[in-house]
Amino acid sequence: MQASSEHKPAIQALNIGKQVSSGETSLTILDNLDVEVAAGESLAIVGSSGSGKSTLLGLLAGLDEVSSGEIRLLGQSLAGMDEDDRAALRAGRVGFVFQSFQLLSGLTAVENVMLSLELSGQPDARQRASQALESVGLAHRLTHRPRQLSGGEQQRVALARAFAIRPQLLFADEPTGNLDDKTSDSISDLLFQMNRETGTTLVMVTHDRELAGHCDRCLTLSSGRLA
Amino acid sequence: MNSARFAWLQLRREGLRGDLLLLVAAVAIAVAAAAAVSLFTDRVRAAMAAGGGEAIASDLRLELRDRLAPDRREAMQAAGLRVAETVEFASVGIQPGGENTALVSVKAVEPAYPLRGEVIISRDAEDSSGQTIGSGPPAGAVWVERRVLAELDLRLGDRLQLGESELEITARLIAEPDRGAGFLGLAPRVLMNLADVPATKLLQPGSRAEYNVLLAGEPDVVRSWRAETEPTLGRGESMESASEARPALQRALDRAEVFLDLSALIAVILAGIAIAMTAHQHALRRYDEIALIKSLGARRGFLGRMLAWQLVMLGSAGIVLGLSLGWTAQAVLSGIAARALSLALPGASPLSLWPALLTGAVILGGFAWPLLAAARNAPPLRVLQGSAAGDPATRALYPVAILSVVGLVAWQTGDLLLCLYVLGGGLLSAIVLWAAARLFLKGLGLLVDRALVPVGGWRQGVTALLRRPQQTSLLIVAFGIGLAVLFTLAIVRTDILASWEQSIDQDAPNRFLINIAPDQLDQVERYLSEQMNRSPELYPMIRGRLTQRNGEALPNDKVDREEAGELMRRELNLSWQAELKNDNRVVTGQWFTAEDHGRALVSIDESVAERLNVGLGDSLGFDVAGETFRAEISSIRHIDWDSLQANFYLIFPPGFLDDYPTTWITSIKVEPADEAALSTLIRRFPNISTLDIQVILRQLEQVIDRVSLAVEFVFLFTLMAGVLVLLAAIQTTRHERLREAAVMRALGARASLLRRAALAEFLGVGLLSALLATLCAQTLAVVLAVQLLDLDYQLRPLVWLLAIGLAAGSIATAGMLGIRGVLRQPALASLRD
Ligand SMILES: Nc1ncnc2c1ncn2[C@@H]1O[C@H](COP(=O)(O)OP(=O)(O)OP(=O)(O)O)[C@@H](O)[C@H]1O
Ligand SMILES: [Mg+2]
């Protein structure tokens, strides 16, 4: 699996567009985009607020459906797939890191990490989750709940959750957007370090030029088009 | 990972938070209420039926053509039944050594008589209250009615000659439980021991006598024995249960069941509302989590199974809790009931818990599942866009919830009409409440816009209501419906029970005067009005037999009692009346007009029409004093037996029965102070006899008492369910309130302002929902009382003002208690959550 997908592009998006309609007015968020991400590559998507970065990320990850065009994810076309099929495609292969962390407030740090391991049916979930938290420097906070952690710590838990399953693809939407400079530096260092170690393909949306500069390639989005 | 294991892990890790705890509690309450009904009320029903058994001194009366054969008696006893034989016949009582004789109606009983109810006797000549006794007279003794003593000029302790025996009069008979409906026109009663009968030589082969076997036992035993035996009865043999023998009592029991079913049902529906609210809250909280799990690659099917498992786990906890709660509560209550009412309840069986179990499953499936099922449709895009990505549609809830309520109502009551009323009422109330709430908010908005609401806490509270119109309206509908059912139940419990009691108590006569000769009419009427200040209606009465239907002879020993039954065998009381009595109502056809007088027409009771299978235009043939005639059915009537007045199955127009021997009958209410005057009347006209129907009244009262107790018990669960709805409602807004309060405090609002704002908000919701609930409940109660229970219902505005105040006050208080933590929590903690 690893070998075959390394030669093909991890993501291919052809001519994709996204319209939303509320009532009678129809709004074009993305217009005729072509994006290709090679396996192992890291891609940054930058652009001003409201330019459609998150929308594009959601489409590339198969969280939403395109209005036009076609996307191939890990070698498979998303066309004709329903939500369940796309979820099955993601399972165990795709990780996420979000601006707002998205940790489950009822679960402890280690349980949050275990969630992704358990869902992809991997054995020794607790042990591997502990290891993942250790590798992001949170070995001593395993049983704390999200509200007892600072923003930077929460995002580390999210990173641990994303990398614990050793994903082929990692999507990150402004992973440092809610953090101060110092913390965001340490988070981005951690992100790229883990990315290198696991050889994961990375697609990251960011405002941060410096962070984008760490990526192999950078796409600039402006009003739903590539600039 | 296995969905069940994942569901369990998630539940265990998150722990029982507020909303889940409420869910479990709501299921427990609903199940407990249902369990209480199926356990306790089943037992009370059985006990009440047994109480009703007093009407025939047994649970089942078997009428035979001769004495009971020993092998049949053995078979009955082997089946687990208690047996007592009675023989009734007419005879002549003689004053030993004197010249007085009197026609008497002898009833010979075994010592075990009565199997249900009690005989009332008095050992002193004047005492009219007497003492109750659980057996018949011992061998050698007779108990006789006052009239026997009067007509034969005898005293207690004297001897009475019956046939070839002389028996000692040891007591005066005041009442016997099974003095059935055929009592009118009977000669005075002599109660004797069955063992003394052979010595009298009164019963020879071929003598006319009524042979009855009284049977009693566990309800199940009686029922199955009847089902088994009834088809094998010989010619002229028939069976009758207590309820068949006493229409008034049967109606009381029927109403009791409606009350009980209604109260339990309302508890269950209220709990259902609480469950729906908490499930909604739970589902809402889950959207983000589900979106996240989906982004990690979980499919809808997996999520659906996981949510279903969680529901099963929580539901099982609630059901087990509810079953044990219901079991314990009914055990305690049965103890109290047994002591307070000296009512021995039959044992409860764990098997009768299954309807409660089913109720739990139905409300979980109907109210909670649709919401949770909708949650699994949360779009995964929420992980990026939050709630902007949209919420899953929850409209699916309504049809399922409504269907499960319909199913529950129909199943619990087995009464489609009631089901329709409950549903129609509920639906209509919801719509009215929703519309009213929206209207109210519009009005409030106008007030705020025009700056008519003073700035400060109150204004904050009002704007809080306006800020979430959808939610405010939902709260008002939920509270409104909850309160409406509580109020309705309260009305049912108190007002309707009261007016029911009144409808029986106040004007109900307790004494019949029978056998008044036509030439005594004027004198009796004058005496009653002058000496006793009573002016009752007097009715003519002619004894006759029903012999033909549409020209064909009716068999006079029907085996099949469903049809003609004892109408054929017994002499009937025929009457003629010009005016329709006010406790009678014509169902079909027309009451006699002036032109009808003297014509061959007859108006019959609806039960007669049913039993004879006849309708308007059919003809019936009668035999009165050896003469036969026919009459055409011109109307069918409904008789309100609760009035306890003299009523007649068969009424003819005036002028048609003039040539037949007629006596007159009336009923009056006799207070203790009137007894002397009544005695004088009886002494002056010795042929007139009085009949005390206090026993019937007492039985009805007892049934009402027992019903109240049972309803009160189930009402307790209903109240608990109501409290749960309140808590659920507060819980649903708790999170939002925490944030709002934190923001406002951060902006410098003082705690007192927040408190006033919250108070204004809760008071607004409370007042409006209480007001609307009152209107709904009133309407519902009137419909219930008039349509279902056949009662008059009176509005009582003052009670309602109090109820509104109380309800609004409690909602506000509970609301303030519920958010106490919110106001106290430091702003920082709320904002971090
Ligand atoms: N479901 C939707 N309905 C209506 N408009 C939408 C919807 N989703 C996105 N939009 C609009 O599309 C535009 C792009 O949204 P998107 O979230 O992709 O922007 P973004 O580039 O991620 O911005 P930011 O940097 O602020 O996160 C915005 O103007 C947004 O309001
Ligand atoms: Mg964005």
Side-chain angles (χ1 to χ4, degrees), chain B residues 119-124 127-131 143-146 171-176 179 691-692 695 698:
Chain B
V119 179
I120 304 174
I121 57 172
S122 166
R123 305 216 185 252
D124 118 30
D127 172 33
S128 62
S129 54
Q131 73 193 79
W143 298 339
V144 304
E145 276 186 289
R146 187 201 301 270
R172 194 160 56 75
L173 180 66
I174 294 176
E176 54 189 281
R179 183 125 201 189
L691 194 90
D692 195 344
V695 186
R698 214 165 10 231

Coordinates of all heavy atoms in Angstrom, one line a residue, chain B residues 119-124 127-131 143-146 171-176 179 691-692 695 698:
Chain B
V119 N -73.9 -9.3 55.8 CA -75.3 -9.1 56.2 C -75.4 -8.1 57.3 O -74.5 -8.1 58.2 CB -75.9 -10.5 56.7 CG1 -77.4 -10.4 57.1 CG2 -75.7 -11.6 55.6
I120 N -76.4 -7.3 57.3 CA -76.6 -6.3 58.4 C -77.9 -6.7 59.2 O -79.0 -6.8 58.6 CB -76.7 -4.9 57.9 CG1 -75.5 -4.5 57.0 CG2 -76.9 -3.9 59.0 CD1 -75.6 -3.1 56.4
I121 N -77.7 -6.9 60.4 CA -78.9 -7.3 61.3 C -78.9 -6.4 62.5 O -77.9 -5.7 62.8 CB -78.8 -8.7 61.7 CG1 -77.5 -9.0 62.5 CG2 -78.9 -9.7 60.5 CD1 -77.4 -10.4 63.1
S122 N -80.0 -6.4 63.2 CA -80.1 -5.7 64.4 C -80.8 -6.6 65.4 O -81.7 -7.3 65.1 CB -80.9 -4.4 64.2 OG -81.3 -3.9 65.5
R123 N -80.2 -6.6 66.7 CA -80.8 -7.5 67.7 C -81.7 -6.7 68.6 O -82.2 -7.1 69.6 CB -79.7 -8.1 68.5 CG -78.7 -8.9 67.6 CD -78.2 -10.1 68.3 NE -77.2 -10.7 67.5 CZ -77.3 -11.9 66.8 NH1 -78.5 -12.5 66.9 NH2 -76.3 -12.4 66.1
D124 N -82.0 -5.4 68.1 CA -82.9 -4.7 68.9 C -83.9 -4.0 68.0 O -83.6 -3.7 66.8 CB -82.1 -3.8 69.9 CG -82.3 -2.3 69.7 OD1 -83.4 -1.8 69.3 OD2 -81.3 -1.5 70.1
D127 N -83.2 0.0 66.7 CA -81.9 0.4 66.1 C -82.0 0.2 64.6 O -82.3 -0.9 64.1 CB -80.8 -0.4 66.7 CG -79.5 -0.2 66.0 OD1 -79.2 0.9 65.5 OD2 -78.7 -1.2 65.9
S128 N -81.7 1.2 63.8 CA -81.8 1.1 62.4 C -80.4 1.0 61.7 O -80.3 0.7 60.5 CB -82.6 2.2 61.7 OG -81.9 3.4 62.0
S129 N -79.3 1.2 62.5 CA -78.0 1.1 61.8 C -77.5 -0.4 61.8 O -76.9 -0.8 60.9 CB -77.0 2.0 62.5 OG -77.0 1.7 63.8
G130 N -77.8 -1.1 62.9 CA -77.5 -2.5 63.0 C -76.0 -2.8 63.1 O -75.1 -2.0 63.2
Q131 N -75.7 -4.1 62.9 CA -74.4 -4.6 63.0 C -74.1 -5.5 61.8 O -75.0 -6.1 61.3 CB -74.1 -5.4 64.3 CG -74.8 -6.7 64.3 CD -74.8 -7.4 65.7 OE1 -75.6 -7.0 66.5 NE2 -73.8 -8.3 65.9
W143 N -83.8 -14.7 60.6 CA -83.7 -13.3 60.7 C -84.8 -12.7 59.7 O -84.8 -13.2 58.6 CB -82.3 -12.8 60.2 CG -81.2 -13.3 61.1 CD1 -81.3 -13.8 62.4 CD2 -79.8 -13.4 60.8 NE1 -80.1 -14.1 62.9 CE2 -79.1 -13.9 61.9 CE3 -79.0 -13.0 59.7 CZ2 -77.8 -14.1 62.0 CZ3 -77.7 -13.3 59.7 CH2 -77.0 -13.8 60.9
V144 N -85.5 -11.8 60.2 CA -86.7 -11.4 59.4 C -86.7 -9.8 59.3 O -86.2 -9.1 60.1 CB -88.0 -11.8 60.0 CG1 -88.0 -13.3 60.1 CG2 -88.3 -11.1 61.3
E145 N -87.3 -9.4 58.2 CA -87.4 -7.9 58.0 C -88.5 -7.4 59.0 O -89.4 -8.1 59.4 CB -87.8 -7.6 56.6 CG -86.5 -7.6 55.7 CD -86.9 -7.1 54.3 OE1 -87.6 -7.9 53.6 OE2 -86.6 -6.0 53.9
R146 N -88.4 -6.1 59.2 CA -89.3 -5.4 60.1 C -90.8 -5.7 59.8 O -91.6 -5.9 60.6 CB -89.0 -3.9 60.1 CG -89.8 -3.1 61.1 CD -89.9 -1.6 60.8 NE -88.7 -1.0 60.6 CZ -88.0 -0.4 61.6 NH1 -88.6 -0.3 62.8 NH2 -86.9 0.2 61.4
A171 N -82.9 -12.1 65.2 CA -82.5 -10.8 64.8 C -83.4 -10.2 63.7 O -84.1 -11.0 63.0 CB -81.1 -10.8 64.3
R172 N -83.3 -8.9 63.6 CA -84.1 -8.2 62.5 C -83.1 -8.0 61.4 O -82.0 -7.5 61.6 CB -84.6 -6.9 63.0 CG -85.6 -6.2 62.2 CD -86.4 -5.2 63.1 NE -85.5 -4.2 63.7 CZ -84.9 -3.2 63.0 NH1 -85.2 -3.1 61.7 NH2 -84.1 -2.4 63.6
L173 N -83.6 -8.4 60.2 CA -82.7 -8.3 59.0 C -82.8 -6.9 58.4 O -83.9 -6.4 58.1 CB -83.1 -9.3 58.0 CG -82.3 -9.3 56.7 CD1 -80.9 -9.8 56.9 CD2 -83.0 -10.2 55.7
I174 N -81.7 -6.2 58.3 CA -81.7 -4.8 57.7 C -81.3 -4.9 56.3 O -81.9 -4.2 55.4 CB -80.8 -3.9 58.6 CG1 -81.4 -3.7 60.0 CG2 -80.7 -2.5 57.9 CD1 -80.6 -2.8 60.9
A175 N -80.2 -5.6 56.0 CA -79.8 -5.6 54.6 C -79.0 -6.9 54.3 O -78.4 -7.5 55.2 CB -78.8 -4.5 54.3
E176 N -79.2 -7.4 53.1 CA -78.4 -8.6 52.7 C -77.7 -8.1 51.4 O -78.2 -7.3 50.7 CB -79.3 -9.8 52.4 CG -80.4 -9.4 51.5 CD -81.4 -10.5 51.3 OE1 -81.2 -11.5 50.6 OE2 -82.5 -10.3 52.0
R179 N -79.3 -8.5 47.6 CA -80.8 -8.3 47.4 C -80.8 -7.6 46.0 O -80.8 -6.4 45.9 CB -81.3 -7.4 48.4 CG -82.8 -7.1 48.3 CD -83.5 -7.5 49.5 NE -84.9 -7.7 49.3 CZ -85.8 -7.9 50.2 NH1 -85.5 -7.8 51.5 NH2 -87.1 -8.1 49.9
L691 N -87.7 -0.2 51.3 CA -86.5 -0.9 51.0 C -85.3 0.0 51.1 O -85.2 1.1 50.5 CB -86.6 -1.4 49.5 CG -85.6 -2.4 49.3 CD1 -86.2 -3.8 49.6 CD2 -85.2 -2.4 47.8
D692 N -84.3 -0.4 51.9 CA -83.1 0.4 52.2 C -82.1 0.1 51.2 O -81.7 -1.1 51.0 CB -82.6 0.0 53.6 CG -81.6 1.1 54.1 OD1 -81.1 1.9 53.2 OD2 -81.4 1.1 55.3
V695 N -77.0 0.1 51.3 CA -75.9 -0.8 51.0 C -75.3 -0.5 49.6 O -74.0 -0.5 49.5 CB -76.4 -2.3 51.0 CG1 -75.3 -3.2 50.9 CG2 -77.2 -2.5 52.2
R698 N -73.2 2.5 49.9 CA -72.0 2.3 50.6 C -70.9 1.6 49.7 O -69.8 2.0 49.7 CB -72.2 1.5 51.9 CG -71.3 1.9 52.9 CD -71.6 1.5 54.3 NE -72.6 0.5 54.4 CZ -73.7 0.6 55.2 NH1 -73.9 1.7 55.9 NH2 -74.6 -0.4 55.3

